Amino acid sequence: MERRLKSFLWSGLSVLLLIALVGPAAKAQTAGGWVRRGQNAEARGDYDAAFEDYKHAYEKHPKNLADKTHFERVRFQAAAQHVDQGRKLRAMGDPAAALTEYMRALEIDPSNQAAQQEIEETRKQQMSLPAPSGTAQSEQMSQQEATLRAIGSMSAPVQLKPISSDPITLHMVEDAKVIYQAIGKAAGLNVLFDPDFTSKRIPVDLSSVSLDDALRIVGAIAGTFWKPVTPNTIFVAQNTRTKRTDLDNLAVQTFYLTNAAQQNDANEVTTALRNLLDPSVKVYLVPSQNAIVMRATMDQLLLAQKLINDLDRTRPEVVVDVAVLEVSKSKERQLGITLPQTFGIGLQTLATANSNSNANNNANNGGTATPATTTTNLSLNDLGNLNAKNFAVTVGNATANLLLNDSDTRVLQNPRIRATDGQRATLKIGSKIPVATGSYSAGTAATTVSLGVQTQFQYLDVGVNIDMTPTVHYDREISLKLKIEVSTQSGQTTISGVTEPIISQRVIEQEIQLREGEPSILAGLLERDDSRSTAGMPGLGEIPLLKYFFGSTDKINKQDEIVFLLIPHIVREQVLSPLNTRAVDTGTNQEIELRRDPAPPVANIDDIAGRNPEDAAPINKANSGGINPQMPSPNKHMTAGAAANLAAGNLAQTGTGAGGAMNASDAASMAAAQMQAQAANDNAPPLALNVMPPASTQAVGSTFQMAVMAANAKDVFSVPMQVQFNPAVLQLVNVDAGEMMGRDGQAVAVVHRDDGAGLATITASRPPNVPGVSGQGVLCTLTFKANAAGDSQVTLVKVGAKNSAQANIATIGSQSVVHVK
């Protein structure tokens, strides 16, 4: 028996222990538990886990609207998170991982069109995941691919690419055709002439000018113009309006506007293009696509691109902190004695007086006082026997007043309004009150039913109403066109039987200009009401101290004050670079003809970063293996034999090399390698150097860092650049190497030099005889110290790059803005 009891006790304890262990787990699996887990994951920013948790909660309670709302809301955020991650992976050169992220996003949200588009784009780039054949989808994709191939087969306008870019020196007086042919031979170009071309002798005196400038000068003297027919052939004709119209090649290009928020913005850009370009240029706006389609010459299209880049800018945005403080004070004090205000004497009939007297006597003797209820008219005998009992005296009530009422009310409205430059923003906080505006009677008729009197109403916005239109100026000042209205219902009135509200309001309508962060305070809207009333016995009620015993004083003080405070902040600004504000040469009044600056030669790549020419020559000579620094860089149109002859010719002139042992074959090999590298760089996107701004506004005296990010890097060996900043605001303390150039463990040399006036030269390079790096990452880190309050642009004014074959890499820079307070 005892053994059975112990066994039963152990079984019960085991069951209790199992319930204790399983109970929390079972409870965690309820819908409420999944919701709490999803909320915690959402707070951490883990939308993927939050989506799974909310999904479990929704599956347990599919009819619960709250769980369904959580599930649908996080579905979009989780899918968008995977799409963003996929875009980052694809930009880093990992399309397989990016495709996995896009597929996961589409699995979470099948309606996500962005994920579907990214999948199609990634498949086109990867070319390893073809669609299943034999389906309607595959046929449609094949048709689309054929269309894209047909579109891609259309060539761009011809760009002139001469074999030699050496400066041209020419002193002669000769026929224009002969001069054109001499320039063509010097640059390695074929020159063709229009059959209607009329040649004449012209004097030409040129010393060390570029090919473009030489052709421009000769064309201006001879009254001719030229156009490229092939990359190494030009066509020369007489410069007349007819010939220009007949021979100028036209191209079609579509420009997409990125910051046109409304059609009026796109219309303004289109109007500017039509007014600045030739009237014959075809310009068409497509509002549904925010795009402008143009058919014009290459120079006109390039000028249009510059104008669109200058005009289609991000609009600045402003946040205005509005504080409306209303203080109402009311104080009332009543002190004194209110004496009886009425005193009356009335004549009674004799019978009534006697009855009242008898009743009083009975009451005094212990009986009940019962007055007589009968009335008797007054006789002459009664008038003769009148006494004090025949008169009734009536006296009003007296009141002692001792009251103090003090109220203090503060109402604070502190909204924040964010508005775009030049766009109207409104904010209304309060309620709507109906106000009768009129009434009419529908009338009566024998065949109709009377509708009675119909009253018309309109609703008034009562509360805090703000109407604001900001304008951001380039000097970081802000103009605000404001209308602020604070209204309340202070009472009611009856007009023609209709009760109407009484609205008290304070309205401010102004246009002011403030600096960023400068407060604008509008105070002094003060309303004060003081009243004092005295009631008491004449004479005695006016004597000090005694007036409180023979009278009463009521004193009321009311004060109402309202204060408006406005503080504007620029949260997004329009950054203009020197590229936007500089003037460009557009030719004559008759024809737009742009003049392009020649590209810097490979040997002078270090000069882009500001290095002295005396220091650049030996460095370039060492890096080029003995090739003359002034040798023009071979391009992808140059044959190997021409490159060998060019290199051998330079070797014969300089006599440099490893003891003069380099022959024409070695030079041809090096030139061919540079030619291949240059061809690869021409087809690759340019190396992008971006200056990342600091996360917040810096304080005076603080030290902060800014990273220079590199993207689209391919075989990058060295990067020289110049950084420009405002020396009155910032001071460059140090430059550290980033992880990108040394990610394979190689030592990276980062050298920087302060050139003064806010200009610093920085060069990051890898060790000799090692390959370059590819991908993206942090190139270097700039450490600045904030010396004074103000704003400073940190701009990469001159940038360049080389690959492991010492060939030039197309590079673009950027700029950022630092705010110091």
Side-chain angles (χ1 to χ4, degrees):
M1 184 67 180
E2 184 178 357
R3 182 178 299 175
R4 291 182 179 177
L5 181 61
K6 290 182 178 180
S7 176
F8 178 76
L9 291 177
W10 278 112
S11 300
L13 290 175
S14 299
V15 171
L16 293 177
L17 182 61
L18 181 62
I19 293 174
L21 293 176
V22 177
K27 184 178 179 181
Q29 301 300 322
T30 61
W34 286 117
V35 170
R36 287 190 293 272
R37 289 181 57 176
Q39 290 174 347
N40 294 332
E42 188 177 1
R44 297 192 307 268
D46 189 358
Y47 297 110
D48 207 2
F51 168 75
E52 295 294 337
D53 296 333
Y54 288 143
K55 180 181 179 182
H56 289 305
Y58 176 61
E59 290 175 348
K60 286 183 174 293
H61 288 163
K63 295 183 179 180
N64 192 316
L65 295 180
D67 295 345
K68 183 178 181 181
T69 302
H70 290 311
F71 173 65
E72 295 294 341
R73 176 174 50 82
V74 177
R75 178 203 293 268
F76 171 79
Q77 294 175 334
Q81 190 177 48
H82 283 283
V83 171
D84 293 339
Q85 184 65 24
R87 288 169 177 167
K88 293 179 181 178
L89 291 173
R90 193 175 70 178
M92 295 173 62
D94 193 354
L99 193 61
T100 303
E101 294 292 336
Y102 297 145
M103 296 296 290
R104 174 57 180 164
L106 202 60
E107 179 184 356
I108 294 174
D109 187 4
S111 63
N112 194 313
Q113 294 296 326
Q116 184 65 40
Q117 293 173 356
E118 294 293 344
I119 289 174
E120 295 176 358
E121 186 66 24
T122 306
R123 282 177 173 174
K124 291 177 183 178
Q125 295 181 1
Q126 192 178 21
M127 297 299 292
S128 60
L129 296 174
S133 60
T135 62
Q137 181 180 3
S138 63
E139 294 179 0
Q140 182 180 1
M141 291 185 63
S142 62
Q143 293 177 1
Q144 293 177 354
E145 291 177 359
T147 303
L148 293 176
R149 283 195 299 269
I151 294 175
S153 64
M154 293 187 296
S155 300
V158 177
Q159 297 288 337
L160 190 64
K161 296 181 179 180
I163 295 177
S164 174
S165 58
D166 287 338
I168 297 175
T169 300
L170 190 61
H171 306 282
M172 60 190 311
V173 179
E174 212 25 279
D175 190 83
K177 286 187 176 182
V178 176
I179 296 176
Y180 268 116
Q181 291 171 349
I183 295 176
K185 289 181 180 180
L189 297 177
N190 301 319
V191 182
L192 304 178
F193 296 93
D194 183 63
D196 299 333
F197 178 72
T198 302
S199 181
K200 60 181 180 180
R201 290 175 62 86
I202 57 173
V204 175
D205 191 1
L206 304 178
S207 297
S208 299
V209 298
S210 64
L211 172 63
D212 188 67
D213 289 340
L215 293 175
R216 177 187 292 269
I217 294 171
V218 174
I221 298 174
T224 59
F225 76 98
W226 62 273
K227 68 168 189 173
V229 180
T230 65
N232 64 342
T233 304
I234 63 173
F235 184 83
V236 181
Q238 205 71 30
N239 190 7
T240 62
R241 187 68 176 177
T242 303
K243 284 295 181 181
R244 284 278 190 179
T245 305
D246 295 340
L247 297 177
D248 272 342
N249 291 331
L250 302 182
V252 176
Q253 187 172 356
T254 303
F255 303 97
Y256 289 93
L257 306 179
T258 58
N259 299 292
Q262 51 190 354
Q263 186 173 349
N264 187 39
D265 300 337
N267 290 336
E268 291 179 353
V269 177
T270 306
T271 303
L273 294 176
R274 287 173 177 163
N275 291 337
L276 293 175
L277 298 179
D278 192 89
S280 61
V281 175
K282 305 296 184 181
V283 182
Y284 183 74
L285 173 65
V286 185
S288 62
Q289 302 295 326
N290 263 353
I292 297 176
V293 182
M294 289 185 57
R295 185 171 186 264
T297 64
M298 277 304 299
D299 286 349
Q300 291 170 341
L301 290 176
L302 185 58
L303 180 60
Q305 179 68 76
K306 186 221 182 291
L307 294 175
I308 292 175
N309 184 56
D310 295 340
L311 300 178
D312 185 26
R313 311 293 296 175
T314 303
R315 284 180 176 268
E317 291 188 4
V318 178
V319 169
V320 179
D321 293 332
V322 182
V324 181
L325 177 62
E326 185 175 3
V327 180
S328 299
K329 294 182 178 180
S330 177
K331 185 175 183 181
E332 180 180 3
R333 185 180 65 176
Q334 290 183 353
L335 185 61
I337 299 175
T338 303
L339 297 177
Q341 302 294 319
T342 60
F343 181 82
I345 299 176
L347 181 62
Q348 300 184 106
T349 62
L350 184 60
T352 303
N354 292 332
S355 299
N356 292 335
S357 177
N358 294 331
N360 292 332
N361 291 331
N362 292 332
N364 293 332
N365 294 328
T368 303
T370 305
T373 58
T374 60
T375 58
T376 305
N377 295 329
L378 193 63
S379 62
L380 293 176
N381 185 39
D382 294 334
L383 292 176
N385 298 298
L386 290 176
N387 54 31
K389 296 180 179 179
N390 298 114
F391 294 92
V393 179
T394 303
V395 181
N397 297 327
T399 306
N401 299 319
L402 189 62
L403 176 65
L404 178 63
N405 188 1
D406 191 354
S407 64
D408 191 350
T409 305
R410 295 174 180 267
V411 180
L412 176 63
Q413 299 280 355
N414 189 16
R416 303 186 69 188
I417 310 175
R418 180 165 179 166
T420 306
D421 176 37
Q423 301 298 317
R424 179 184 175 189
T426 59
L427 175 66
K428 296 181 180 180
I429 303 175
S431 57
K432 288 181 175 289
I433 296 179
V435 177
T437 58
S439 62
Y440 67 94
S441 177
T444 58
T447 59
T448 59
V449 179
S450 175
L451 299 178
V453 177
Q454 302 297 316
T455 305
Q456 298 174 342
F457 292 90
Q458 71 175 10
Y459 288 84
L460 299 180
D461 294 315
V462 176
V464 178
N465 302 322
I466 301 175
D467 193 329
M468 177 185 71
T469 303
T471 302
V472 181
H473 305 282
Y474 296 128
D475 56 357
R476 300 187 63 81
E477 291 200 354
I478 305 166
S479 294
L480 294 176
K481 186 177 182 181
L482 287 168
K483 182 180 181 181
I484 302 178
E485 176 182 346
V486 180
S487 56
T488 56
Q489 182 179 357
S490 59
Q492 293 180 342
T493 184
T494 302
I495 301 175
S496 299
V498 180
T499 302
E500 299 281 5
I502 299 175
I503 307 298
S504 63
Q505 61 179 0
R506 295 175 176 86
V507 180
I508 299 173
E509 191 168 357
Q510 61 183 358
E511 187 170 354
I512 57 177
Q513 185 167 340
L514 303 171
R515 295 189 304 272
E516 182 189 11
E518 178 184 0
S520 174
I521 302 177
L522 180 60
L525 299 179
L526 179 63
E527 180 182 352
R528 186 167 184 174
D529 185 7
D530 296 337
S531 63
R532 180 175 180 178
S533 60
T534 302
M537 184 177 295
L540 295 177
E542 299 176 357
I543 300 176
L545 297 180
L546 293 179
K547 64 181 179 180
Y548 297 110
F549 297 96
F550 295 96
S552 177
T553 302
D554 187 2
K555 186 177 181 181
I556 301 175
N557 296 326
K558 293 183 179 181
Q559 182 175 334
D560 191 3
E561 183 178 8
I562 189 168
V563 177
F564 296 93
L565 176 63
L566 304 173
I567 304 178
H569 303 281
I570 299 177
V571 295
R572 177 183 293 171
E573 59 183 347
Q574 184 179 27
V575 180
L576 296 179
S577 65
L579 189 63
N580 301 120
T581 57
R582 70 187 183 104
V584 294
D585 185 5
T586 59
T588 63
N589 192 31
Q590 297 296 328
E591 186 67 27
I592 291 179
E593 187 176 358
L594 301 181
R595 182 171 58 85
R596 295 172 175 82
D597 294 331
V602 177
N604 295 332
I605 184 64
D606 292 321
D607 293 341
I608 300 177
R611 183 175 288 125
N612 294 328
E614 293 80 7
D615 301 332
I619 294 177
N620 288 327
K621 186 181 297 183
N623 291 336
S624 61
I627 298 296
N628 188 353
Q630 302 301 325
M631 181 188 72
S633 60
N635 55 54
K636 61 183 180 181
H637 298 286
M638 185 184 297
T639 63
N645 294 334
L646 183 61
N650 281 278
L651 285 172
Q653 294 176 5
T654 58
T656 59
M662 180 175 289
N663 53 25
S665 177
D666 297 334
S669 300
M670 179 169 291
Q674 290 187 349
M675 180 181 66
Q676 294 175 358
Q678 183 68 30
N681 291 332
D682 290 342
N683 297 325
L687 174 66
L689 303 180
N690 299 316
V691 183
M692 306 306 294
S696 60
T697 302
Q698 304 301 317
V700 176
S702 64
T703 302
F704 61 94
Q705 292 182 336
M706 299 179 67
V708 178
M709 301 290 297
N712 303 326
K714 187 175 181 181
D715 192 24
V716 176
F717 181 82
S718 63
V719 180
M721 56 185 171
Q722 273 190 335
V723 180
Q724 181 75 51
F725 55 89
N726 187 357
V729 178
L730 302 179
Q731 176 187 353
L732 183 61
V733 179
N734 194 18
V735 180
D736 299 318
E739 52 84 21
M740 176 182 169
M741 297 290 283
R743 61 178 50 167
D744 57 349
Q746 297 291 341
V748 180
V750 177
V751 180
H752 73 280
R753 181 180 71 245
D754 188 0
D755 297 331
L759 190 65
T761 301
I762 303 172
T763 303
S765 58
R766 290 169 58 81
N769 302 323
V770 298
V773 296
S774 301
Q776 62 181 6
V778 179
L779 179 66
C780 62
T781 302
L782 310 178
T783 303
F784 287 97
K785 181 180 180 181
N787 291 333
D791 298 333
S792 173
Q793 290 187 354
V794 179
T795 309
L796 301 180
V797 292
K798 293 182 180 179
V799 293
K802 287 183 180 180
N803 58 16
S804 57
Q806 302 305 313
N808 184 19
I809 299 177
T811 310
I812 57 175
S814 67
Q815 64 180 2
S816 183
V817 179
V818 178
H819 306 297
V820 180
K821 291 186 178 180

